[in-house]
Each structure stands twice: as C-alpha cells, then as structure tokens.
Amino acid sequence: GPKVLQIPSHQIIDMGQMVTLNCDPVSNHLYFYWYKQILGQQMEFLVNFYNGKVMEKSKLFKDQFSVERPDGSYFTLKIQPTALEDSAVYFCASSHGDWGNTGQLYFGEGSKLTVL
Amino acid sequence: GDSVTQTEGPVTVSESESLIINCTYSATSIAYPNLFWYVRYPGEGLQLLLKVITAGQKGSSRGFEATYNKETTSFHLQKASVQESDSAVYYCALGENYAQGLTFGLGTRVSVFP
C-alpha cells in the first residue's frame, strides 16, 4: 500500500542544536501531520499542515517548532533550539482528504530523536 | 481534552484463542467522534485496521471486529481466533475532525504463541 517515508530513522544531537526531521508523504496527499510519542506515553498530535499553512496545532507545538513543505518536496519538522524534553519518536502522517469519512491517515515508521 | 483508555499490555494469548482489547473514550467537543483501531506490526509503520464513524455500527477487518457503543462510550476490539501473525501493538483512537488529528490510547502489545 501507500508508504510514508521518514528520514532519518534515528538522530542523536546535543541540546541547543537544530534538527530537521524529513517526511516524504504519499504522493497526491494534501494533508500532513506530525505526532510525538515519548517513551511509555501516548502518541500525541502536534500539527496539521495543508495548502502551505499550519491548520491546527496542539499545545505541544512549541515556538521552537516549525513545519514547511517547500515546493512539494519533503514535509519537514524543524526544532530550533532543541531541549531535553524533545527526545521522542516523531511520526509523520498524510492523508488525501477527510480521513474521518472516506479517507485514511497513512503513517511513517517514525524518527527517533535523542537529545543529550 | 479528548482521551482514550485501553487494555494495558502486554497481552499474551495462544494461537486459536479469542482476544479482546478494551477501549473506552471521552470526547469533549462532539458527542459522536470517529473511532479507529490502528495496528503496528513488528518492523512496520502504524496502519489502519478498522474504523467506524457512525454510532451503533460495527467495523471489521482481518477477522477483527469492533462495535461503536455510544451508551458505554466503548469500542472494544475482538477476534474469535488469533494467529501468530496477529502479534502486534494495537492502538485505539478517536478523531473529531481531520484538522485536529487523532487522540490515541497508549497501545496494547499482543503476543500470540503457537
């Protein structure tokens, strides 16, 4: 079936550095999401991106976070600067349309971020 | 905010036995959210197992079933006879609309032994 690819699968960085997580969504999908899962906790919604703009974001989406998808390339999550509490697995998801009714969300395998 | 509570894992079951994973939900903005079961098989990404968007209806896929019960606000996942290939982590989730994303449960790890 359709695949969402995430790069890198694992990244280790020092606190205060910048990190960019990349997502290659399913082609022709229009809605893009990032979720965050801290070890032992629930996967939580971060942000929804559509038509070049953030549509919705949760309280977890701090000012240090940003998302973009320049020219239809990777959908990226940038964290600058990183903090210890940003250590988590970040999941990208994409959807063609209203997954509540006719569509569905497709998830990547996650990017594990470790902040030291 | 919204919340989802599901059976705490790990759950161990023998092949051909029945399986039930309980899920209850609470939605703050709408009375009847969309309900989902997702599954992550070893080495793979999260994928949709089944969904039900109408209260009172049942969804089914790969031998699994779940009924949307609005009275008890539950969406339990059941399978009459599991196989070793059903070993995975199962997540119950609810969604109010496509913009706000999904609210997930903690996940239930299921191990099926031959």
Side-chain angles (χ1 to χ4, degrees), chain A residues 35-46:
Chain A
Y35 285 79
K36 175 183 179 182
Q37 187 174 29
I38 294 173
L39 184 65
Q41 299 184 21
Q42 290 156 301
M43 192 182 315
E44 294 189 272
F45 168 74
L46 279 179

Side-chain angles (χ1 to χ4, degrees), chain B residues 65-86:
Chain B
E65 293 183 340
T67 300
Y68 190 156
N69 189 320
K70 62 183 180 2
E71 284 79 27
T72 59
T73 62
S74 65
F75 191 54
H76 306 322
L77 182 69
Q78 304 181 73
K79 188 170 186 180
S81 176
V82 297
Q83 303 170 327
E84 208 174 336
S85 57
D86 293 323

Side-chain angles (χ1 to χ4, degrees), chain A residues 46 57-67 77-82 85-86:
Chain A
L46 279 179
K57 58 184 179 180
S58 72
K59 61 181 185 299
L60 297 179
F61 194 77
K62 305 181 299 183
D63 291 343
Q64 297 88 334
F65 288 31
S66 62
V67 290
L77 172 66
K78 184 185 294 186
I79 309 174
Q80 180 178 26
T82 50
E85 60 265 27
D86 297 330

